[in-house]
Amino acid sequence: MLIYITGGSRSGKSRYAVDLARRLSRRVVFVATCLPTTDGELRRRIKWHRQDRPKYWKTLENQIDLAGLYSKVDRRTEVLLIDCLTLYVSGRLMQGEGESRICARVKKLCQAAASSPRTTLIVSNEVGCGLVPMTDMGRTFRDYAGRANQIVARYANQVYLMVSGIPVLLKGNKNER
């Protein structure tokens, strides 16, 4: 089961994903995709997100091979929560990867999730509703992230759009699990 949770910045995506994962199982692995940073504000956000998660969850940091997680996690793991796809895409872009490579990685992740007995939650920012970025790099990121989001949405059993903290089911059956 693949559940995709998207929405704008500060829409409640991560909180909803954490709450949903808590309801689904105690055997959760949280996958952080953020690259280590010296940015103080981002470090504070990471600390806040860590404090919001149950202490008994295992946390893995992975910025490269998300599909490979399925062979590395404990077989008792029932839920993988990947937060977030947009940070993953930006990290790959900053490492010089092009759109086709990034999209291939995301497709491989979705295929691994689809063939796994575990439930996978993927969180990502909806990047298509905002302003057009002023820089070439900004537009490139928006385009890559938008295409990656489309891939995940296509594979997902359920897709939620978060609007002001409210999950709106766009695809799938809410009672399916």
Side-chain angles (χ1 to χ4, degrees):
M1 173 80 137
L2 174 56
I3 301 171
Y4 174 53
I5 302 162
T6 189
S9 297
R10 311 306 297 163
S11 64
K13 299 177 302 293
S14 294
R15 182 174 303 277
Y16 181 72
V18 166
D19 290 346
L20 179 56
R22 275 188 185 126
R23 290 193 308 267
L24 292 173
S25 177
R26 286 186 54 86
R27 296 181 180 151
V28 176
V29 171
F30 183 91
V31 181
T33 62
C34 186
L35 292 169
T37 181
T38 58
D39 179 327
E41 191 271 337
L42 185 54
R43 282 199 323 268
R44 283 189 296 280
R45 285 178 183 259
I46 291 168
K47 182 179 177 183
W48 178 83
H49 277 289
R50 281 185 183 143
Q51 292 171 343
D52 197 41
R53 296 191 298 266
K55 302 292 183 242
Y56 54 87
W57 285 9
K58 182 174 181 175
T59 298
L60 297 176
E61 293 182 358
N62 189 312
Q63 299 89 30
I64 301 171
D65 181 22
L66 295 176
L69 292 169
Y70 292 88
S71 63
K72 294 177 184 168
V73 296
D74 185 299
R75 62 181 168 83
R76 294 175 295 167
T77 299
E78 294 177 346
V79 176
L80 265 72
L81 193 170
I82 301 170
D83 195 355
C84 83
L85 188 65
T86 42
L87 284 173
Y88 175 76
V89 169
S90 70
R92 302 315 323 136
L93 176 62
M94 296 309 292
Q95 293 299 314
E97 288 188 13
E99 180 180 10
S100 62
R101 179 71 179 127
I102 293 170
C103 287
R105 286 183 184 276
V106 172
K107 186 175 181 181
K108 188 175 176 185
L109 163 64
C110 291
Q111 290 168 337
S115 65
S116 173
R118 299 171 181 93
T119 297
T120 301
L121 306 167
I122 298 178
V123 176
S124 189
N125 287 286
E126 171 51 55
V127 295
C129 294
L131 300 173
V132 175
M134 292 292 292
T135 66
D136 181 52
M137 178 65 87
R139 288 186 298 276
T140 298
F141 166 72
R142 181 218 39 212
D143 292 349
Y144 290 11
R147 289 188 187 99
N149 287 345
Q150 290 177 43
I151 292 167
V152 177
R154 194 167 38 250
Y155 276 88
N157 302 89
Q158 294 176 353
V159 176
Y160 289 91
L161 173 65
M162 296 300 298
V163 180
S164 300
I166 299 170
V168 179
L169 183 63
L170 300 178
K171 177 183 176 183
N173 181 345
K174 189 173 186 173
N175 297 321
E176 178 185 10
R177 286 210 206 347

